[in-house]
Amino acid sequence: MVDHSQVTEAEYLAQYNVQDFDVPLCTVDIVPFRFHNHRLQVLTCLRHQHPEKEQWALPGGFIDISKDNDLDAAAQRKLVAKIGTTAPYLEQVQTVGNQQRDPRGWSITVMYYALFPGSAVNQSLLPDTRWLNLQGNTIGHPLAFDHNQLISLALERLQNKVQYTSLPVYLLPECFTLADISDVFLAILGKTPPMRSIRNRFLNEDLLEDTGEKRYGSNRPATLYRLKKTAVAQFYNRLYHTTQP
């Protein structure tokens, strides 16, 4: 009888040949969000190959070990291929894997969400891609594979994180007002924190700078801000009480 306590790790691993095991399909899938016309939208792409040919799907695809140094690199490469640009903000959500999600075999995908500023992506949008309005926690019609479920998972993560981070500003154009930040909260959560809370949180950190310009409308002129070039995503130690369930 083998005494496993005396077996080294190398000897233990040597008992297994990786070629004896089937390898699952490994992909990345990205849920690209943008805030446009006061709505939160998701980008989808039309598939031109089987399976799920001529179905709309999220951007993504197989990991290429000759090109991708890590999972983030794979996700950004797929965004460039589908959208023409990388994401200003990209975050890994979770890994999903089972025998049912892809008819080609046992499949694992590492899913991300990406944040894009307003209409900026339109300039580099490739054919057979389109932005769709979110309706509740999905886009309102079926997508290929399990991509409707992936959208729901990504939205849930975003809804949680906007309450204790500075992520709303990554969905805005280069110049924006504090009221625009409030509109992003409304689009994501269906409710918004008090303006004084937004002002205290976003102006008390080394995050925004005053552009020196104003936006004029029916109310008094509003200061236009922009994200500092040195800014990184901020994390705060509490949620907004008025946006909690």
Side-chain angles (χ1 to χ4, degrees):
M1 191 171 181
V2 178
D3 182 1
H4 291 286
S5 65
Q6 302 301 316
V7 177
T8 66
E9 182 179 4
E11 291 171 332
Y12 178 77
L13 293 175
Q15 301 176 54
Y16 297 94
N17 186 339
V18 294
Q19 296 179 347
D20 293 336
F21 296 88
D22 291 332
V23 178
L25 304 174
C26 293
T27 62
V28 292
D29 285 299
I30 308 100
V31 182
F33 290 113
R34 78 167 179 177
F35 177 66
H36 185 63
N37 289 336
H38 304 284
R39 299 290 297 271
L40 194 64
Q41 298 182 323
V42 173
L43 187 86
T44 59
C45 309
L46 186 64
R47 288 182 56 81
H48 295 293
Q49 55 279 124
H50 292 292
E52 309 285 354
K53 186 177 181 180
E54 304 306 318
Q55 298 295 312
W56 291 91
L58 294 170
F62 290 104
I63 297 166
D64 188 333
I65 60 174
S66 67
K67 297 178 180 178
D68 303 323
N69 291 329
D70 53 33
L71 290 167
D72 288 4
Q76 292 283 24
R77 178 174 60 82
K78 288 300 179 180
L79 284 173
V80 171
K82 300 294 186 180
I83 303 177
T85 184
T86 58
Y89 185 87
L90 180 73
E91 180 178 330
Q92 189 178 131
V93 179
Q94 68 181 71
T95 301
V96 177
N98 55 54
Q99 293 180 320
Q100 293 78 40
R101 63 178 310 272
D102 192 320
R104 291 168 292 189
W106 218 107
S107 171
I108 293 173
T109 191
V110 181
M111 61 167 297
Y112 287 79
Y113 69 80
L115 304 182
F116 287 94
S119 60
V121 183
N122 283 342
Q123 300 173 5
S124 54
L125 202 61
L126 301 182
D128 297 331
T129 57
R130 63 182 183 183
W131 290 98
L132 298 173
N133 290 332
L134 275 172
Q135 302 176 23
N137 65 348
T138 185
I139 59 172
H141 66 80
L143 295 178
F145 307 112
D146 57 352
H147 288 187
N148 283 92
Q149 177 190 354
L150 300 188
I151 290 174
S152 297
L153 292 171
L155 179 60
E156 182 179 4
R157 170 69 66 85
L158 181 62
Q159 288 171 331
N160 288 331
K161 290 206 69 171
V162 296
Q163 298 188 69
Y164 62 90
T165 69
S166 60
L167 292 192
V169 298
Y170 290 92
L171 288 162
L172 291 171
E174 181 180 2
C175 299
F176 52 85
T177 67
L178 295 181
D180 292 333
I181 298 176
S182 178
D183 287 344
V184 172
F185 277 107
L186 186 62
I188 295 174
L189 298 173
K191 47 192 172 182
T192 182
M195 184 56 69
R196 66 178 181 277
S197 298
I198 293 175
R199 183 179 296 108
N200 290 339
R201 178 165 289 188
F202 284 88
L203 296 185
N204 287 345
E205 300 290 340
D206 191 29
L207 181 68
L208 306 181
E209 61 184 11
D210 190 332
T211 65
E213 299 180 355
K214 304 283 187 181
R215 179 187 294 165
Y216 295 88
S218 57
N219 298 319
R220 68 178 187 177
T223 300
L224 284 167
Y225 296 94
R226 61 173 163 247
L227 194 64
K228 289 185 177 181
K229 292 182 179 180
T230 57
V232 296
Q234 299 287 327
F235 289 79
Y236 308 107
N237 60 8
R238 65 186 186 280
L239 303 179
Y240 294 102
H241 290 298
T242 55
T243 60
Q244 296 180 49

